[in-house]
Amino acid sequence: MNISLKAQHSWFINIKQAQALTVINFKSFPQRIIASMVSILSIACVAGVILSVLAMTEGMMKTLERTGLDNTVLVMRAGASSELQSVMFPVEVNILANNQKIIKDEQGLAQVSAEMFVNAEVTYISNLDTVDQETETKSLALRGISKSTQQFRPNFRLVKGEMFATGVRQLIVGQAITRRMPELIVGKVITLGGAAWTVSGIFSDGNSVFESELWADIGMVQSDYRRGNTLQSIRLALKDISDLPQLEKEWQDDPRLNIRVLTEKQFFADQASNLTRLIRWLGFPIAIVMALGAIVAALNTMYATIASRSKEIATHKAIGFSPFAISMSILCEALLIAFVGGVLGILPLYFVFDGWTAATQNASNLSQMMFNFDITVLLMIKTMSLALFIGLLGGILPVIKAMRLPVTEALRD
């Protein structure tokens, strides 16, 4: 029992000593902050890069996850990985729509939407309020739709202007596009496929990927892009999504059809996986290299700190401070440096870029996809944890050196 009490007392003394030395180091830290600035800035850069990659990934994932309905089936040509690669015909629409498992409306018509998808070069005049007007060209997704399409977009609403008219070169623009290209206002005339089109309205769709598209009358899109009566994709509303495997087998066995069938949710989930994988492959290797540099900078800073304070450390040893207490105080200082660096990397990014609309090239349809940076509390905690881990690694070796430093040698230096 006495041995146990002595061990507890010794542990308590070590904790109190470590606490006292840590407080002393923290109070004197402002005097050494200039010498620690290399480590702080290195860790801040790592935190900024990591948080940017995570925020981009989170923003794209949420944009694509918001897209699609649970009971909607997307049908494309067999072998097509995107709508852009698919070609279908009206006869196939009729075959698919006549199935008994498709939801019918009050008039007994199947809930089906045949859509056209084009990677369009959009040309428009920017800088209308300045003398130096410029002609801009962007690659955007143009979707030809019909009135039935709105049945599959429950979150769709016009925020400005009005719906395009059938048989007229008018279109509505997704809200995400207008955040990136504010020149595309209602009444704006742009060039698509060599013809002039008028922006009749701006729409929102619950921050889904559809907000990165232009919508127009499917007949006009087919005509201007010389696609005849062909389509890219067909959307169908199933009575029961659990019937999909049986329905898919039935359609696969039909010699009149050569199609690929999947849920709309799954289609956009696959796109999200491909896009975020690409960002991680590009972003994380850069972040790892920068993290190694930050660890080296932290090592140098802590080694320099120990070298400049060797007499102070030796004095602490001589007057009875335990190796544990001295080690903990040095590690806490390394973590403080990492924390300051993490804050400098995270907070500016949060205040400037949280909710900011960015654009990336969607490899599946060769057009731009808009999404918002989404810097959540969880992502900031993950980033700060990485910054503290870098500081911890940067402090371990200097701590070992400080512990091995002989008292007599340190006092002579």
Side-chain angles (χ1 to χ4, degrees):
M1 180 64 69
N2 290 335
I3 296 176
S4 176
L5 289 175
K6 286 182 179 180
Q8 291 179 8
H9 180 70
S10 176
W11 177 251
F12 177 76
I13 293 298
N14 284 334
I15 294 295
K16 295 293 288 184
Q17 289 181 349
Q19 182 180 357
L21 286 178
T22 299
V23 170
I24 293 171
N25 285 347
F26 279 18
K27 286 183 177 180
S28 62
F29 180 73
Q31 302 170 10
R32 301 188 299 277
I33 195 167
I34 300 300
S36 305
M37 194 55 68
V38 173
S39 294
I40 291 172
L41 293 179
S42 298
I43 294 174
C45 289
V46 176
V49 171
I50 287 292
L51 186 57
S52 297
V53 173
L54 293 176
M56 287 175 64
T57 303
E58 187 78 7
M60 282 195 295
M61 287 290 290
K62 286 189 175 181
T63 298
L64 289 163
E65 285 172 357
R66 293 188 186 106
T67 309
L69 301 177
D70 293 330
N71 70 327
T72 298
V73 174
L74 180 64
V75 183
M76 298 181 292
R77 176 66 57 206
S81 59
S82 69
E83 292 176 276
L84 191 64
Q85 300 170 350
S86 174
V87 178
M88 302 192 71
F89 299 93
V91 63
E92 295 171 301
V93 178
N94 294 331
I95 294 171
L96 296 169
N98 286 330
N99 195 286
Q100 296 301 313
K101 293 183 172 62
I102 306 302
I103 294 176
K104 303 294 192 298
D105 61 19
E106 295 177 355
Q107 287 75 36
L109 300 176
Q111 287 192 14
V112 55
S113 172
E115 300 178 6
M116 185 82 193
F117 189 89
V118 178
N119 176 31
E121 292 295 322
V122 180
T123 304
Y124 61 96
I125 297 175
S126 62
N127 302 328
L128 289 178
D129 297 331
T130 64
V131 177
D132 299 326
Q133 294 184 357
E134 298 178 356
T135 300
E136 296 278 350
T137 300
K138 300 288 185 181
S139 178
L140 297 176
L142 171 63
R143 186 178 295 275
I145 66 170
S146 60
K147 292 182 179 179
S148 60
T149 300
Q150 292 189 36
Q151 297 175 334
F152 296 87
R153 310 284 189 270
N155 297 318
F156 168 84
R157 68 184 183 91
L158 281 170
V159 294
K160 289 182 182 179
E162 59 186 13
M163 197 67 179
F164 58 80
T166 303
V168 180
R169 288 191 178 95
Q170 293 181 343
L171 52 82
I172 56 176
V173 181
Q175 195 168 234
I177 295 178
T178 60
R179 287 196 293 265
R180 291 284 296 179
M181 303 176 215
E183 300 91 348
L184 299 185
I185 59 176
V186 174
K188 179 83 170 183
V189 176
I190 62 177
T191 302
L192 287 173
W197 291 66
T198 303
V199 176
S200 66
I202 296 169
F203 72 92
S204 68
D205 190 59
N207 289 324
S208 73
V209 74
F210 295 123
E211 288 191 11
S212 300
E213 298 178 348
L214 310 172
W215 287 4
D217 175 46
I218 186 171
M220 293 304 301
V221 176
Q222 289 172 327
S223 174
D224 275 26
Y225 285 86
R226 299 177 178 85
R227 300 297 179 90
N229 62 353
T230 61
L231 312 161
Q232 252 64 53
S233 61
I234 303 168
R235 283 170 168 80
L236 301 159
L238 290 189
K239 295 177 181 177
D240 189 349
I241 197 64
S242 62
D243 292 334
L244 181 58
Q246 179 184 350
L247 192 58
E248 183 179 7
K249 183 179 185 306
E250 179 183 331
W251 284 338
Q252 296 290 351
D253 293 339
D254 192 329
R256 298 171 297 175
L257 299 174
N258 181 27
I259 59 175
R260 177 192 177 199
V261 184
L262 71 167
T263 64
E264 194 177 36
K265 281 282 189 185
Q266 183 60 48
F267 173 73
F268 287 107
D270 292 342
Q271 283 198 338
S273 177
N274 294 334
L275 281 171
T276 53
R277 188 184 303 118
L278 177 62
I279 289 178
R280 290 189 181 105
W281 284 352
L282 293 176
F284 282 132
I286 296 173
I288 290 171
V289 172
M290 294 182 67
L292 292 175
I295 291 172
V296 172
L299 280 169
N300 289 336
T301 298
M302 296 311 298
Y303 273 129
T305 299
I306 290 170
S308 64
R309 296 165 59 197
S310 58
K311 287 185 178 180
E312 178 186 338
I313 294 172
T315 302
H316 288 155
K317 288 183 178 180
I319 62 178
F321 280 96
S322 67
F324 172 82
I326 297 172
S327 300
M328 287 300 101
S329 67
I330 295 173
L331 279 180
C332 287
E333 184 173 344
L335 291 175
L336 177 62
I337 291 172
F339 178 78
V340 174
V343 169
L344 289 179
I346 291 171
L347 288 187
L349 210 65
Y350 174 76
F351 288 115
V352 175
F353 290 106
D354 186 38
W356 180 67
T357 301
T360 186
Q361 196 75 11
N362 191 336
S364 63
N365 58 37
L366 306 178
S367 60
Q368 292 191 53
M369 187 189 83
M370 282 70 176
F371 62 94
N372 294 333
F373 270 67
D374 192 9
I375 303 178
T376 63
V377 174
L378 180 59
L379 294 187
M380 290 191 285
I381 291 174
K382 288 181 178 179
T383 304
M384 181 58 74
S385 298
L386 176 65
L388 294 176
F389 180 69
I390 291 173
L392 184 63
L393 290 180
I396 288 176
L397 290 180
V399 162
I400 295 174
K401 178 184 177 181
M403 292 305 94
R404 292 180 176 177
L405 187 67
V407 175
T408 54
E409 180 181 334
L411 290 173
R412 285 198 303 266
D413 290 340

